[in-house]
Amino acid sequence: MSGKRLSNDIRALRFAAGEMTQADLGKRVGLTRQTIAAIEAGKYSPTLECAFRIADVFEKPLDAVFRWEDTDHSPDR
């Protein structure tokens, strides 16, 4: 395992966009509210196309929405 995981700022971006709901975002990118919730919670990784669609809704580059982060939080790193 690589010790990394995909994380995102979707929740913060939704609230910054006038408290957009998960359902609203889902409609705009062609996903269900449940899928948006799973992506937002880090339980599901979107396809690259869906990730770009989500970033486009917020008019942000992909890396401003999604990050590939280390899961090792030891103080030696």
Short mmCIF file of all heavy atoms in Angstrom, two decimals:
data_model
loop_
_atom_site.label_atom_id
_atom_site.label_comp_id
_atom_site.label_asym_id
_atom_site.label_seq_id
_atom_site.Cartn_x
_atom_site.Cartn_y
_atom_site.Cartn_z
N MET A 1 0.84 -1.17 0.00
CA MET A 1 0.00 0.00 0.00
C MET A 1 0.89 1.24 0.00
O MET A 1 1.93 1.28 0.61
CB MET A 1 -0.87 -0.06 1.25
CG MET A 1 -2.23 0.55 1.14
SD MET A 1 -3.13 0.05 -0.31
CE MET A 1 -4.71 0.47 0.18
N SER A 2 0.44 2.29 -0.64
CA SER A 2 1.26 3.48 -0.81
C SER A 2 1.27 4.40 0.40
O SER A 2 2.07 5.31 0.47
CB SER A 2 0.80 4.26 -2.04
OG SER A 2 -0.47 4.83 -1.80
N GLY A 3 0.35 4.22 1.35
CA GLY A 3 0.28 5.12 2.48
C GLY A 3 -0.30 6.47 2.10
O GLY A 3 -0.05 7.46 2.77
N LYS A 4 -1.05 6.51 1.02
CA LYS A 4 -1.67 7.75 0.58
C LYS A 4 -3.16 7.53 0.36
O LYS A 4 -3.61 6.41 0.18
CB LYS A 4 -1.03 8.24 -0.72
CG LYS A 4 0.41 8.66 -0.54
CD LYS A 4 0.90 9.40 -1.74
CE LYS A 4 2.30 9.88 -1.47
NZ LYS A 4 2.54 11.17 -2.05
N ARG A 5 -3.89 8.63 0.40
CA ARG A 5 -5.33 8.57 0.13
C ARG A 5 -5.77 9.84 -0.56
O ARG A 5 -5.12 10.88 -0.44
CB ARG A 5 -6.13 8.34 1.40
CG ARG A 5 -6.13 9.52 2.33
CD ARG A 5 -6.99 9.25 3.57
NE ARG A 5 -7.07 10.45 4.37
CZ ARG A 5 -8.02 11.38 4.25
NH1 ARG A 5 -8.98 11.25 3.37
NH2 ARG A 5 -8.01 12.46 5.01
N LEU A 6 -6.89 9.75 -1.26
CA LEU A 6 -7.46 10.91 -1.92
C LEU A 6 -8.31 11.67 -0.92
O LEU A 6 -9.17 11.09 -0.25
CB LEU A 6 -8.32 10.44 -3.10
CG LEU A 6 -8.88 11.52 -4.01
CD1 LEU A 6 -7.76 12.25 -4.73
CD2 LEU A 6 -9.85 10.91 -5.01
N SER A 7 -8.06 12.95 -0.78
CA SER A 7 -8.90 13.79 0.07
C SER A 7 -9.43 14.94 -0.78
O SER A 7 -8.98 15.15 -1.91
CB SER A 7 -8.13 14.32 1.28
OG SER A 7 -7.09 15.16 0.86
N ASN A 8 -10.41 15.66 -0.23
CA ASN A 8 -11.02 16.73 -1.03
C ASN A 8 -11.56 17.83 -0.14
O ASN A 8 -11.71 17.66 1.07
CB ASN A 8 -12.12 16.15 -1.93
CG ASN A 8 -13.29 15.63 -1.13
OD1 ASN A 8 -14.08 16.39 -0.59
ND2 ASN A 8 -13.41 14.30 -1.03
N ASP A 9 -11.88 18.94 -0.78
CA ASP A 9 -12.47 20.10 -0.11
C ASP A 9 -13.88 20.37 -0.61
O ASP A 9 -14.35 21.52 -0.59
CB ASP A 9 -11.60 21.34 -0.35
CG ASP A 9 -10.29 21.27 0.41
OD1 ASP A 9 -10.26 20.72 1.52
OD2 ASP A 9 -9.28 21.78 -0.11
N ILE A 10 -14.57 19.34 -1.06
CA ILE A 10 -15.89 19.52 -1.67
C ILE A 10 -16.87 20.17 -0.69
O ILE A 10 -17.59 21.10 -1.06
CB ILE A 10 -16.45 18.20 -2.21
CG1 ILE A 10 -15.58 17.71 -3.36
CG2 ILE A 10 -17.90 18.36 -2.65
CD1 ILE A 10 -15.92 16.31 -3.85
N ARG A 11 -16.89 19.71 0.55
CA ARG A 11 -17.86 20.27 1.51
C ARG A 11 -17.63 21.77 1.68
O ARG A 11 -18.58 22.55 1.61
CB ARG A 11 -17.74 19.56 2.85
CG ARG A 11 -18.80 20.00 3.84
CD ARG A 11 -18.77 19.11 5.10
NE ARG A 11 -19.96 19.27 5.88
CZ ARG A 11 -20.15 20.25 6.78
NH1 ARG A 11 -19.21 21.15 6.98
NH2 ARG A 11 -21.27 20.31 7.46
N ALA A 12 -16.39 22.17 1.89
CA ALA A 12 -16.10 23.60 2.07
C ALA A 12 -16.45 24.39 0.81
O ALA A 12 -17.00 25.50 0.89
CB ALA A 12 -14.63 23.79 2.42
N LEU A 13 -16.16 23.83 -0.36
CA LEU A 13 -16.47 24.51 -1.61
C LEU A 13 -17.98 24.63 -1.82
O LEU A 13 -18.46 25.66 -2.32
CB LEU A 13 -15.81 23.78 -2.79
CG LEU A 13 -14.30 23.90 -2.84
CD1 LEU A 13 -13.71 22.87 -3.80
CD2 LEU A 13 -13.87 25.30 -3.22
N ARG A 14 -18.73 23.60 -1.44
CA ARG A 14 -20.19 23.68 -1.55
C ARG A 14 -20.75 24.82 -0.70
O ARG A 14 -21.59 25.58 -1.15
CB ARG A 14 -20.86 22.37 -1.11
CG ARG A 14 -20.77 21.25 -2.10
CD ARG A 14 -21.68 20.07 -1.76
NE ARG A 14 -21.48 19.50 -0.43
CZ ARG A 14 -22.31 19.70 0.62
NH1 ARG A 14 -23.38 20.44 0.49
NH2 ARG A 14 -22.04 19.13 1.78
N PHE A 15 -20.25 24.93 0.53
CA PHE A 15 -20.75 25.98 1.41
C PHE A 15 -20.31 27.36 0.94
O PHE A 15 -21.07 28.32 1.05
CB PHE A 15 -20.36 25.71 2.86
CG PHE A 15 -21.26 24.69 3.50
CD1 PHE A 15 -20.96 23.34 3.44
CD2 PHE A 15 -22.44 25.08 4.10
CE1 PHE A 15 -21.82 22.39 3.99
CE2 PHE A 15 -23.31 24.14 4.65
CZ PHE A 15 -22.99 22.79 4.59
N ALA A 16 -19.12 27.45 0.39
CA ALA A 16 -18.65 28.73 -0.16
C ALA A 16 -19.45 29.13 -1.39
O ALA A 16 -19.52 30.31 -1.74
CB ALA A 16 -17.16 28.64 -0.50
N ALA A 17 -20.07 28.15 -2.04
CA ALA A 17 -20.87 28.41 -3.25
C ALA A 17 -22.35 28.58 -2.88
O ALA A 17 -23.24 28.10 -3.58
CB ALA A 17 -20.70 27.27 -4.24
N GLY A 18 -22.61 29.25 -1.78
CA GLY A 18 -24.00 29.53 -1.40
C GLY A 18 -24.70 28.34 -0.77
O GLY A 18 -25.90 28.16 -0.96
N GLU A 19 -23.95 27.54 -0.03
CA GLU A 19 -24.49 26.36 0.64
C GLU A 19 -25.18 25.40 -0.33
O GLU A 19 -26.28 24.90 -0.08
CB GLU A 19 -25.40 26.76 1.80
CG GLU A 19 -24.65 27.55 2.86
CD GLU A 19 -25.43 27.74 4.14
OE1 GLU A 19 -26.40 27.01 4.39
OE2 GLU A 19 -25.03 28.65 4.90
N MET A 20 -24.49 25.15 -1.44
CA MET A 20 -24.96 24.18 -2.43
C MET A 20 -25.14 22.82 -1.75
O MET A 20 -24.29 22.40 -0.98
CB MET A 20 -23.91 24.07 -3.55
CG MET A 20 -24.23 23.06 -4.61
SD MET A 20 -22.85 22.82 -5.76
CE MET A 20 -22.65 24.45 -6.45
N THR A 21 -26.23 22.15 -2.03
CA THR A 21 -26.45 20.83 -1.44
C THR A 21 -25.71 19.75 -2.23
O THR A 21 -25.30 19.98 -3.38
CB THR A 21 -27.95 20.46 -1.42
OG1 THR A 21 -28.40 20.30 -2.78
CG2 THR A 21 -28.78 21.52 -0.70
N GLN A 22 -25.56 18.60 -1.61
CA GLN A 22 -24.95 17.47 -2.32
C GLN A 22 -25.81 17.09 -3.52
O GLN A 22 -25.28 16.76 -4.58
CB GLN A 22 -24.81 16.27 -1.37
CG GLN A 22 -23.78 16.49 -0.29
CD GLN A 22 -23.77 15.39 0.75
OE1 GLN A 22 -24.77 14.70 0.94
NE2 GLN A 22 -22.65 15.24 1.43
N ALA A 23 -27.12 17.18 -3.38
CA ALA A 23 -28.02 16.86 -4.49
C ALA A 23 -27.83 17.84 -5.64
O ALA A 23 -27.82 17.44 -6.81
CB ALA A 23 -29.47 16.86 -4.02
N ASP A 24 -27.69 19.14 -5.32
CA ASP A 24 -27.46 20.14 -6.36
C ASP A 24 -26.18 19.86 -7.12
O ASP A 24 -26.15 19.91 -8.35
CB ASP A 24 -27.39 21.55 -5.77
CG ASP A 24 -28.72 22.05 -5.22
OD1 ASP A 24 -29.78 21.55 -5.65
OD2 ASP A 24 -28.68 22.94 -4.34
N LEU A 25 -25.11 19.57 -6.38
CA LEU A 25 -23.84 19.26 -7.03
C LEU A 25 -23.97 18.01 -7.88
O LEU A 25 -23.50 17.97 -9.02
CB LEU A 25 -22.72 19.11 -5.99
CG LEU A 25 -21.34 18.73 -6.53
CD1 LEU A 25 -20.84 19.75 -7.56
CD2 LEU A 25 -20.35 18.57 -5.38
N GLY A 26 -24.63 17.00 -7.34
CA GLY A 26 -24.83 15.76 -8.09
C GLY A 26 -25.55 15.99 -9.41
O GLY A 26 -25.14 15.45 -10.44
N LYS A 27 -26.59 16.80 -9.40
CA LYS A 27 -27.33 17.11 -10.63
C LYS A 27 -26.43 17.80 -11.65
O LYS A 27 -26.52 17.53 -12.84
CB LYS A 27 -28.53 18.00 -10.33
CG LYS A 27 -29.67 17.28 -9.67
CD LYS A 27 -30.80 18.23 -9.33
CE LYS A 27 -31.84 17.53 -8.48
NZ LYS A 27 -32.83 18.46 -7.94
N ARG A 28 -25.56 18.68 -11.17
CA ARG A 28 -24.70 19.44 -12.08
C ARG A 28 -23.61 18.59 -12.72
O ARG A 28 -23.13 18.92 -13.80
CB ARG A 28 -24.09 20.63 -11.35
CG ARG A 28 -25.19 21.65 -10.97
CD ARG A 28 -24.67 22.86 -10.32
NE ARG A 28 -23.89 23.67 -11.26
CZ ARG A 28 -23.35 24.83 -10.95
NH1 ARG A 28 -23.49 25.33 -9.74
NH2 ARG A 28 -22.66 25.51 -11.85
N VAL A 29 -23.23 17.51 -12.05
CA VAL A 29 -22.15 16.67 -12.59
C VAL A 29 -22.62 15.29 -13.04
O VAL A 29 -21.83 14.48 -13.50
CB VAL A 29 -20.97 16.53 -11.60
CG1 VAL A 29 -20.35 17.88 -11.32
CG2 VAL A 29 -21.37 15.84 -10.32
N GLY A 30 -23.92 15.01 -12.89
CA GLY A 30 -24.46 13.73 -13.35
C GLY A 30 -24.24 12.57 -12.40
O GLY A 30 -24.12 11.42 -12.82
N LEU A 31 -24.22 12.86 -11.09
CA LEU A 31 -24.07 11.83 -10.06
C LEU A 31 -25.22 11.94 -9.07
O LEU A 31 -25.88 12.97 -8.98
CB LEU A 31 -22.74 12.00 -9.31
CG LEU A 31 -21.46 11.90 -10.13
CD1 LEU A 31 -20.26 12.29 -9.28
CD2 LEU A 31 -21.30 10.49 -10.68
N THR A 32 -25.43 10.89 -8.29
CA THR A 32 -26.46 10.95 -7.26
C THR A 32 -25.93 11.68 -6.03
O THR A 32 -24.72 11.82 -5.84
CB THR A 32 -26.90 9.53 -6.83
OG1 THR A 32 -25.78 8.88 -6.21
CG2 THR A 32 -27.41 8.72 -8.02
N ARG A 33 -26.87 12.11 -5.19
CA ARG A 33 -26.49 12.73 -3.92
C ARG A 33 -25.66 11.77 -3.08
O ARG A 33 -24.69 12.15 -2.44
CB ARG A 33 -27.74 13.16 -3.14
CG ARG A 33 -27.38 13.83 -1.80
CD ARG A 33 -28.48 13.74 -0.77
NE ARG A 33 -28.90 12.40 -0.44
CZ ARG A 33 -28.25 11.57 0.39
NH1 ARG A 33 -27.12 11.94 0.95
NH2 ARG A 33 -28.72 10.37 0.64
N GLN A 34 -26.03 10.49 -3.12
CA GLN A 34 -25.31 9.48 -2.33
C GLN A 34 -23.87 9.34 -2.80
O GLN A 34 -22.96 9.17 -1.98
CB GLN A 34 -26.03 8.13 -2.41
CG GLN A 34 -27.39 8.12 -1.74
CD GLN A 34 -28.54 8.57 -2.64
OE1 GLN A 34 -28.34 9.17 -3.71
NE2 GLN A 34 -29.76 8.29 -2.21
N THR A 35 -23.65 9.42 -4.10
CA THR A 35 -22.29 9.32 -4.63
C THR A 35 -21.47 10.54 -4.23
O THR A 35 -20.31 10.41 -3.83
CB THR A 35 -22.30 9.14 -6.16
OG1 THR A 35 -23.05 7.95 -6.47
CG2 THR A 35 -20.90 9.02 -6.72
N ILE A 36 -22.08 11.71 -4.31
CA ILE A 36 -21.38 12.93 -3.87
C ILE A 36 -21.03 12.82 -2.39
O ILE A 36 -19.91 13.15 -1.98
CB ILE A 36 -22.23 14.20 -4.14
CG1 ILE A 36 -22.42 14.42 -5.65
CG2 ILE A 36 -21.60 15.42 -3.48
CD1 ILE A 36 -21.15 14.70 -6.44
N ALA A 37 -21.95 12.33 -1.57
CA ALA A 37 -21.70 12.17 -0.14
C ALA A 37 -20.53 11.21 0.10
O ALA A 37 -19.66 11.48 0.95
CB ALA A 37 -22.95 11.68 0.57
N ALA A 38 -20.48 10.12 -0.65
CA ALA A 38 -19.40 9.14 -0.49
C ALA A 38 -18.06 9.72 -0.93
O ALA A 38 -17.03 9.51 -0.27
CB ALA A 38 -19.72 7.87 -1.28
N ILE A 39 -18.05 10.48 -2.02
CA ILE A 39 -16.81 11.13 -2.48
C ILE A 39 -16.35 12.13 -1.44
O ILE A 39 -15.18 12.16 -1.05
CB ILE A 39 -17.02 11.81 -3.85
CG1 ILE A 39 -17.26 10.78 -4.95
CG2 ILE A 39 -15.82 12.70 -4.20
CD1 ILE A 39 -17.76 11.38 -6.27
N GLU A 40 -17.27 12.95 -0.97
CA GLU A 40 -16.97 13.99 0.01
C GLU A 40 -16.39 13.39 1.30
O GLU A 40 -15.47 13.95 1.90
CB GLU A 40 -18.26 14.74 0.31
CG GLU A 40 -18.10 16.05 0.99
CD GLU A 40 -19.43 16.78 1.09
OE1 GLU A 40 -19.94 17.26 0.05
OE2 GLU A 40 -19.96 16.86 2.21
N ALA A 41 -16.92 12.23 1.71
CA ALA A 41 -16.48 11.57 2.94
C ALA A 41 -15.19 10.76 2.74
O ALA A 41 -14.65 10.22 3.69
CB ALA A 41 -17.58 10.66 3.46
N GLY A 42 -14.71 10.68 1.51
CA GLY A 42 -13.50 9.91 1.24
C GLY A 42 -13.73 8.41 1.19
O GLY A 42 -12.78 7.63 1.25
N LYS A 43 -14.97 7.99 1.04
CA LYS A 43 -15.30 6.56 0.98
C LYS A 43 -15.35 6.04 -0.45
O LYS A 43 -15.46 4.84 -0.66
CB LYS A 43 -16.64 6.31 1.67
CG LYS A 43 -16.59 6.61 3.15
CD LYS A 43 -17.91 6.36 3.81
CE LYS A 43 -17.80 6.68 5.29
NZ LYS A 43 -19.05 6.44 5.98
N TYR A 44 -15.30 6.94 -1.41
CA TYR A 44 -15.38 6.56 -2.81
C TYR A 44 -14.52 7.53 -3.61
O TYR A 44 -14.59 8.75 -3.40
CB TYR A 44 -16.84 6.62 -3.29
CG TYR A 44 -17.04 6.30 -4.74
CD1 TYR A 44 -16.99 5.00 -5.21
CD2 TYR A 44 -17.28 7.33 -5.66
CE1 TYR A 44 -17.16 4.71 -6.56
CE2 TYR A 44 -17.46 7.04 -7.01
CZ TYR A 44 -17.40 5.73 -7.45
OH TYR A 44 -17.57 5.45 -8.77
N SER A 45 -13.73 6.99 -4.52
CA SER A 45 -12.90 7.84 -5.39
C SER A 45 -13.60 8.02 -6.73
O SER A 45 -13.95 7.03 -7.37
CB SER A 45 -11.53 7.20 -5.62
OG SER A 45 -10.82 7.14 -4.41
N PRO A 46 -13.80 9.26 -7.13
CA PRO A 46 -14.50 9.50 -8.40
C PRO A 46 -13.61 9.14 -9.58
O PRO A 46 -12.38 9.08 -9.46
CB PRO A 46 -14.76 11.01 -8.38
CG PRO A 46 -13.63 11.55 -7.59
CD PRO A 46 -13.37 10.52 -6.51
N THR A 47 -14.24 8.92 -10.71
CA THR A 47 -13.46 8.75 -11.93
C THR A 47 -12.76 10.08 -12.21
O THR A 47 -13.16 11.13 -11.68
CB THR A 47 -14.35 8.41 -13.14
OG1 THR A 47 -15.22 9.51 -13.40
CG2 THR A 47 -15.14 7.13 -12.92
N LEU A 48 -11.76 10.04 -13.03
CA LEU A 48 -11.05 11.27 -13.39
C LEU A 48 -12.00 12.26 -14.06
O LEU A 48 -11.98 13.46 -13.76
CB LEU A 48 -9.86 10.95 -14.29
CG LEU A 48 -8.89 12.07 -14.59
CD1 LEU A 48 -8.35 12.68 -13.30
CD2 LEU A 48 -7.75 11.55 -15.45
N GLU A 49 -12.87 11.76 -14.92
CA GLU A 49 -13.83 12.64 -15.58
C GLU A 49 -14.76 13.32 -14.57
O GLU A 49 -14.99 14.53 -14.64
CB GLU A 49 -14.67 11.84 -16.58
CG GLU A 49 -15.69 12.69 -17.31
CD GLU A 49 -16.53 11.90 -18.31
OE1 GLU A 49 -16.15 10.77 -18.67
OE2 GLU A 49 -17.55 12.46 -18.74
N CYS A 50 -15.27 12.56 -13.60
CA CYS A 50 -16.15 13.14 -12.58
C CYS A 50 -15.40 14.14 -11.72
O CYS A 50 -15.95 15.18 -11.35
CB CYS A 50 -16.76 12.06 -11.71
SG CYS A 50 -18.04 11.11 -12.57
N ALA A 51 -14.15 13.85 -11.40
CA ALA A 51 -13.34 14.78 -10.61
C ALA A 51 -13.20 16.11 -11.35
O ALA A 51 -13.33 17.18 -10.75
CB ALA A 51 -11.98 14.17 -10.30
N PHE A 52 -12.93 16.05 -12.65
CA PHE A 52 -12.83 17.28 -13.44
C PHE A 52 -14.16 18.01 -13.50
O PHE A 52 -14.21 19.24 -13.42
CB PHE A 52 -12.32 16.99 -14.86
CG PHE A 52 -10.83 16.95 -14.97
CD1 PHE A 52 -10.16 15.76 -15.14
CD2 PHE A 52 -10.08 18.12 -14.90
CE1 PHE A 52 -8.77 15.72 -15.24
CE2 PHE A 52 -8.70 18.11 -15.00
CZ PHE A 52 -8.04 16.90 -15.17
N ARG A 53 -15.26 17.27 -13.62
CA ARG A 53 -16.58 17.91 -13.65
C ARG A 53 -16.87 18.64 -12.34
O ARG A 53 -17.41 19.75 -12.34
CB ARG A 53 -17.68 16.88 -13.93
CG ARG A 53 -17.69 16.40 -15.34
CD ARG A 53 -18.76 15.35 -15.53
NE ARG A 53 -18.60 14.73 -16.83
CZ ARG A 53 -19.62 14.43 -17.62
NH1 ARG A 53 -20.85 14.66 -17.24
NH2 ARG A 53 -19.39 13.88 -18.78
N ILE A 54 -16.54 17.99 -11.23
CA ILE A 54 -16.74 18.63 -9.92
C ILE A 54 -15.90 19.89 -9.82
O ILE A 54 -16.39 20.95 -9.40
CB ILE A 54 -16.41 17.62 -8.78
CG1 ILE A 54 -17.46 16.51 -8.76
CG2 ILE A 54 -16.33 18.35 -7.44
CD1 ILE A 54 -17.09 15.32 -7.88
N ALA A 55 -14.64 19.81 -10.20
CA ALA A 55 -13.76 20.99 -10.16
C ALA A 55 -14.31 22.11 -11.04
O ALA A 55 -14.26 23.28 -10.67
CB ALA A 55 -12.34 20.60 -10.58
N ASP A 56 -14.84 21.75 -12.20
CA ASP A 56 -15.41 22.75 -13.12
C ASP A 56 -16.60 23.49 -12.50
O ASP A 56 -16.77 24.69 -12.71
CB ASP A 56 -15.85 22.10 -14.44
CG ASP A 56 -14.70 21.84 -15.39
OD1 ASP A 56 -13.57 22.33 -15.13
OD2 ASP A 56 -14.92 21.14 -16.39
N VAL A 57 -17.43 22.78 -11.75
CA VAL A 57 -18.58 23.42 -11.10
C VAL A 57 -18.11 24.56 -10.20
O VAL A 57 -18.72 25.63 -10.16
CB VAL A 57 -19.41 22.39 -10.29
CG1 VAL A 57 -20.39 23.09 -9.36
CG2 VAL A 57 -20.14 21.44 -11.23
N PHE A 58 -17.00 24.33 -9.50
CA PHE A 58 -16.49 25.34 -8.57
C PHE A 58 -15.49 26.29 -9.23
O PHE A 58 -14.94 27.17 -8.56
CB PHE A 58 -15.85 24.65 -7.36
CG PHE A 58 -16.82 23.80 -6.59
CD1 PHE A 58 -16.67 22.43 -6.52
CD2 PHE A 58 -17.90 24.39 -5.94
CE1 PHE A 58 -17.57 21.65 -5.81
CE2 PHE A 58 -18.81 23.61 -5.23
CZ PHE A 58 -18.64 22.24 -5.17
N GLU A 59 -15.28 26.10 -10.54
CA GLU A 59 -14.34 26.92 -11.30
C GLU A 59 -12.95 26.92 -10.65
O GLU A 59 -12.32 27.96 -10.50
CB GLU A 59 -14.88 28.34 -11.48
CG GLU A 59 -16.18 28.36 -12.26
CD GLU A 59 -16.77 29.75 -12.42
OE1 GLU A 59 -16.29 30.72 -11.78
OE2 GLU A 59 -17.73 29.88 -13.20
N LYS A 60 -12.52 25.72 -10.27
CA LYS A 60 -11.22 25.52 -9.62
C LYS A 60 -10.42 24.50 -10.41
O LYS A 60 -10.99 23.63 -11.06
CB LYS A 60 -11.40 24.98 -8.19
CG LYS A 60 -12.22 25.83 -7.28
CD LYS A 60 -11.40 26.95 -6.74
CE LYS A 60 -12.19 27.76 -5.72
NZ LYS A 60 -11.49 28.94 -5.32
N PRO A 61 -9.10 24.57 -10.33
CA PRO A 61 -8.29 23.50 -10.93
C PRO A 61 -8.48 22.22 -10.10
O PRO A 61 -8.84 22.28 -8.92
CB PRO A 61 -6.86 24.02 -10.84
CG PRO A 61 -6.88 25.07 -9.79
CD PRO A 61 -8.28 25.62 -9.74
N LEU A 62 -8.25 21.11 -10.70
CA LEU A 62 -8.44 19.81 -10.05
C LEU A 62 -7.73 19.73 -8.71
O LEU A 62 -8.29 19.27 -7.72
CB LEU A 62 -7.97 18.69 -10.98
CG LEU A 62 -8.33 17.28 -10.57
CD1 LEU A 62 -9.83 17.08 -10.55
CD2 LEU A 62 -7.67 16.29 -11.52
N ASP A 63 -6.48 20.22 -8.65
CA ASP A 63 -5.71 20.11 -7.41
C ASP A 63 -6.14 21.10 -6.33
O ASP A 63 -5.63 21.04 -5.20
CB ASP A 63 -4.21 20.18 -7.66
CG ASP A 63 -3.76 21.51 -8.24
OD1 ASP A 63 -4.61 22.34 -8.62
OD2 ASP A 63 -2.54 21.71 -8.33
N ALA A 64 -7.08 21.97 -6.63
CA ALA A 64 -7.65 22.83 -5.60
C ALA A 64 -8.86 22.17 -4.95
O ALA A 64 -9.36 22.64 -3.93
CB ALA A 64 -8.05 24.18 -6.20
N VAL A 65 -9.32 21.08 -5.54
CA VAL A 65 -10.47 20.34 -5.01
C VAL A 65 -10.03 19.01 -4.40
O VAL A 65 -10.47 18.64 -3.32
CB VAL A 65 -11.53 20.09 -6.11
CG1 VAL A 65 -12.72 19.32 -5.56
CG2 VAL A 65 -11.98 21.40 -6.74
N PHE A 66 -9.15 18.30 -5.10
CA PHE A 66 -8.68 16.98 -4.67
C PHE A 66 -7.19 16.99 -4.39
O PHE A 66 -6.44 17.68 -5.06
CB PHE A 66 -8.97 15.94 -5.77
CG PHE A 66 -10.43 15.73 -6.02
CD1 PHE A 66 -11.08 16.43 -7.03
CD2 PHE A 66 -11.17 14.84 -5.25
CE1 PHE A 66 -12.43 16.24 -7.27
CE2 PHE A 66 -12.52 14.65 -5.48
CZ PHE A 66 -13.15 15.35 -6.49
N ARG A 67 -6.79 16.21 -3.38
CA ARG A 67 -5.37 16.08 -3.02
C ARG A 67 -5.03 14.62 -2.78
O ARG A 67 -5.85 13.86 -2.28
CB ARG A 67 -5.06 16.86 -1.73
CG ARG A 67 -5.07 18.34 -1.87
CD ARG A 67 -4.87 19.03 -0.54
NE ARG A 67 -5.76 18.56 0.52
CZ ARG A 67 -7.07 18.82 0.60
NH1 ARG A 67 -7.65 19.54 -0.34
NH2 ARG A 67 -7.79 18.37 1.60
N TRP A 68 -3.80 14.25 -3.09
CA TRP A 68 -3.26 12.93 -2.82
C TRP A 68 -2.36 13.09 -1.60
O TRP A 68 -1.27 13.63 -1.69
CB TRP A 68 -2.48 12.46 -4.05
CG TRP A 68 -2.04 11.05 -4.09
CD1 TRP A 68 -0.77 10.63 -4.30
CD2 TRP A 68 -2.83 9.87 -3.99
NE1 TRP A 68 -0.72 9.27 -4.31
CE2 TRP A 68 -1.98 8.77 -4.12
CE3 TRP A 68 -4.19 9.63 -3.77
CZ2 TRP A 68 -2.42 7.45 -4.05
CZ3 TRP A 68 -4.63 8.32 -3.71
CH2 TRP A 68 -3.76 7.24 -3.85
N GLU A 69 -2.86 12.68 -0.42
CA GLU A 69 -2.17 12.96 0.84
C GLU A 69 -1.59 11.71 1.48
O GLU A 69 -2.16 10.62 1.38
CB GLU A 69 -3.15 13.58 1.84
CG GLU A 69 -3.64 14.94 1.46
CD GLU A 69 -4.51 15.56 2.54
OE1 GLU A 69 -5.19 14.82 3.29
OE2 GLU A 69 -4.51 16.80 2.62
N ASP A 70 -0.49 11.91 2.19
CA ASP A 70 0.09 10.84 2.99
C ASP A 70 -0.85 10.51 4.13
O ASP A 70 -1.41 11.40 4.76
CB ASP A 70 1.44 11.27 3.58
CG ASP A 70 2.54 11.31 2.52
OD1 ASP A 70 2.50 10.49 1.60
OD2 ASP A 70 3.42 12.18 2.62
N THR A 71 -0.98 9.22 4.43
CA THR A 71 -1.79 8.82 5.57
C THR A 71 -0.93 8.61 6.81
O THR A 71 -1.45 8.46 7.89
CB THR A 71 -2.58 7.52 5.28
OG1 THR A 71 -1.65 6.50 4.91
CG2 THR A 71 -3.60 7.75 4.19
N ASP A 72 0.38 8.63 6.64
CA ASP A 72 1.30 8.47 7.76
C ASP A 72 1.45 9.80 8.45
O ASP A 72 2.02 10.74 7.90
CB ASP A 72 2.66 7.97 7.27
CG ASP A 72 3.65 7.75 8.40
OD1 ASP A 72 3.24 7.81 9.58
OD2 ASP A 72 4.83 7.52 8.10
N HIS A 73 0.93 9.90 9.64
CA HIS A 73 0.97 11.17 10.39
C HIS A 73 2.02 11.12 11.50
O HIS A 73 1.90 11.85 12.47
CB HIS A 73 -0.39 11.50 10.98
CG HIS A 73 -1.44 11.69 9.93
ND1 HIS A 73 -1.29 12.51 8.84
CD2 HIS A 73 -2.67 11.13 9.80
CE1 HIS A 73 -2.38 12.46 8.10
NE2 HIS A 73 -3.21 11.64 8.65
N SER A 74 3.02 10.25 11.37
CA SER A 74 4.04 10.17 12.42
C SER A 74 4.86 11.45 12.45
O SER A 74 5.11 12.08 11.42
CB SER A 74 4.95 8.96 12.19
OG SER A 74 5.72 9.14 11.02
N PRO A 75 5.32 11.87 13.64
CA PRO A 75 6.06 13.13 13.76
C PRO A 75 7.42 13.11 13.07
O PRO A 75 7.99 14.16 12.83
CB PRO A 75 6.23 13.30 15.28
CG PRO A 75 5.88 12.00 15.89
CD PRO A 75 5.08 11.22 14.90
N ASP A 76 7.92 11.93 12.70
CA ASP A 76 9.22 11.83 12.05
C ASP A 76 9.16 12.18 10.57
O ASP A 76 10.17 12.28 9.91
CB ASP A 76 9.80 10.43 12.22
CG ASP A 76 10.09 10.12 13.67
OD1 ASP A 76 10.33 11.06 14.44
OD2 ASP A 76 10.05 8.91 14.00
N ARG A 77 7.97 12.31 10.02
CA ARG A 77 7.84 12.58 8.58
C ARG A 77 7.77 14.03 8.30
O ARG A 77 7.32 14.85 8.94
CB ARG A 77 6.61 11.89 8.04
CG ARG A 77 6.87 10.40 7.97
CD ARG A 77 5.96 9.77 7.01
NE ARG A 77 6.87 9.36 5.95
CZ ARG A 77 6.53 9.16 4.72
NH1 ARG A 77 5.36 9.35 4.32
NH2 ARG A 77 7.37 8.76 3.82
#
